[in-house]
Amino acid sequence: MTSYRKSPTMKDVARIAEVSLQTVSTVINDKPGVTDKTRQRVLAAVETLGYRPYSIARSLRTRRTRTIALVVSDIANPSFATIASTAEVYAQANGYSLVLYNTHDNVEREASYIAIASERWIDGVLFVAVEDKLDGLAAFSSTGIPSVAIDRIPHGYGGPSVMIDNIAAGRLASEHLLELGHTRLGHISGPMHLRLARERLDGFRCRVEESGVTPGLTACIEGNWTCASGYAAMQAILQQEVRPSAIFAANDRMAIGAMAALAEAGVRVPHDISIVGLDDIEVSAYQHPPLTTVQQSFSELAKAAVCLLLDLLADHPPATTQIVIQPRLIVRDSTCDEATSAF
């Protein structure tokens, strides 16, 4: 006959500590009203017995589970992986668990996960949308669940959010290339149905037009954030009659794909074509040559989003609910003066 060891109960703690059940409950829930000596006696009994409060029962009383959900569009993307890792660290440091929902950039899957998370007593939500729509956040709002949108923020959205200044990012890339004397410039964009992709292009193009250089922006091809799309876009650019001497890719992965296409075609970076990426993912510094990029700190993005959400959960009105993080240029070896170009 199999025997099972009974888990210790609150009654067991009260018996060992020689206090009432109410006193044990007060100590476990960290409420005032007991002396330090009594509190230490109860905690010693908890430690001796290995007692663990029944979290579900506590949740029934408080309506809080100390759980945050992160809904992310593609966890295979290094940028979003960094967001997830950093968010988990800061959530855990503040006594919260993090639950991940990976939508794989699929609208139907996103809707399904939103419904699931809404039903599971999630305390708050960090949300990276599939598209320039935040309809899913309305579902959380209707149930009283605080939420913060990250990265992909549509025009007109007025709720809590954290994002990079994408127009400034595009301008930084163009200013760097213009200062190097480049007059034939190209761009590999992200999916143009996303606001952030359009804004990166707008910032880049507007600064080029302001400079008055000719012929200016000679190539603009849409990618989908992957290395493969950057590779294909660069192959197409190499077939054009007027070839750019410098390319700004809207993220590092597409820039890395573009560099692979150039190497395959025997085109040297940066001697023949300069390349600028955006994100500053870890591998960008270890390319050959190391990639010049516009940095957006995904760790900073995630930390700001978690802190904003925690303020909302604690009913502490933050100074601002719409945080815009400024990018900065990281110059490495994938860019050089156009005067040195042999292309």
Side-chain angles (χ1 to χ4, degrees):
M1 181 175 178
T2 303
S3 62
Y4 297 93
R5 182 173 179 266
K6 182 182 176 182
S7 298
T9 67
M10 192 181 293
K11 286 184 179 180
D12 296 326
V13 174
R15 177 175 53 81
I16 295 295
E18 298 181 342
V19 297
S20 68
L21 285 173
Q22 181 60 46
T23 299
V24 174
S25 176
T26 298
V27 172
I28 289 173
N29 289 286
D30 198 25
K31 294 180 179 179
V34 298
T35 65
D36 288 342
K37 183 177 180 180
T38 300
R39 187 180 298 276
Q40 291 304 317
R41 194 163 71 246
V42 171
L43 292 175
V46 167
E47 182 67 24
T48 298
L49 293 170
Y51 172 71
R52 294 293 178 267
Y54 189 32
S55 60
I56 295 177
R58 180 182 295 176
S59 296
L60 287 169
R61 295 192 303 272
T62 66
R63 306 297 294 178
R64 289 289 180 91
T65 60
R66 307 291 294 182
T67 303
I68 292 172
L70 171 62
V71 181
V72 67
S73 57
D74 179 15
I75 197 62
N77 185 322
S79 305
F80 296 143
T82 299
I83 287 176
S85 177
T86 304
E88 188 277 331
V89 168
Y90 281 95
Q92 195 275 336
N94 286 277
Y96 283 83
S97 298
L98 186 77
V99 177
L100 176 69
Y101 295 95
N102 183 24
T103 65
H104 296 274
D105 270 322
N106 181 281
V107 175
E108 289 76 20
R109 187 188 291 259
E110 179 182 79
S112 173
Y113 281 148
I114 287 169
I116 292 171
S118 298
E119 295 169 356
R120 292 192 174 178
W121 284 14
I122 299 297
D123 291 349
V125 178
L126 305 171
F127 192 80
V128 180
V130 171
E131 297 181 342
D132 268 3
K133 296 178 181 178
L134 294 178
D135 298 340
L137 293 188
F140 295 120
S141 179
S142 66
T143 59
I145 300 174
S147 56
V148 176
I150 304 176
D151 193 42
R152 299 178 181 179
I153 317 298
H155 285 289
Y157 176 71
S161 62
V162 181
M163 64 182 290
I164 186 178
D165 188 334
N166 289 293
I167 292 177
R171 291 184 68 89
L172 277 176
S174 59
E175 286 171 357
H176 174 62
L177 295 174
L178 290 168
E179 287 172 359
L180 291 173
H182 291 279
T183 59
R184 294 172 288 125
L185 300 115
H187 181 55
I188 302 173
S189 78
M192 293 303 288
H193 66 271
L194 294 175
R195 170 190 173 187
L196 62 87
R198 297 192 300 271
E199 288 187 342
R200 290 173 189 179
L201 170 58
D202 288 346
F204 185 73
R205 177 167 50 199
C206 288
R207 182 65 188 89
V208 172
E209 291 175 352
E210 289 170 6
S211 73
V213 299
T214 56
L217 188 60
T218 64
C220 186
I221 295 181
E222 183 176 353
N224 65 5
W225 306 125
T226 64
C227 293
S229 71
Y231 178 89
M234 182 54 73
Q235 285 185 317
I237 289 172
L238 290 174
Q239 300 304 312
Q240 294 186 180
E241 184 175 350
V242 179
R243 294 176 175 176
S245 64
I247 298 288
F248 166 48
N251 79 340
D252 287 348
R253 295 168 74 195
M254 293 192 296
I256 290 167
M259 290 170 69
L262 290 171
E264 185 177 278
V267 180
R268 300 170 301 164
V269 177
H271 307 88
D272 301 325
I273 293 184
S274 289
I275 301 286
V276 177
L278 190 152
D279 282 339
D280 194 28
I281 60 176
E282 182 182 14
V283 297
S284 65
Y286 299 94
Q287 297 303 301
H288 182 69
L291 179 64
T292 294
T293 188
V294 178
Q295 182 189 71
Q296 64 166 329
S297 172
F298 289 100
S299 294
E300 184 179 356
L301 202 73
K303 180 182 177 181
V306 171
C307 290
L308 177 55
L309 183 58
L310 292 176
D311 281 344
L312 297 173
L313 289 170
D315 293 323
H316 294 155
T320 178
T321 59
Q322 295 188 311
I323 299 171
V324 179
I325 295 173
Q326 294 302 312
R328 69 188 186 99
L329 181 69
I330 306 295
V331 178
R332 298 193 178 106
D333 297 335
S334 66
T335 53
C336 70
D337 293 344
E338 185 180 29
T340 67
S341 174
F343 206 58

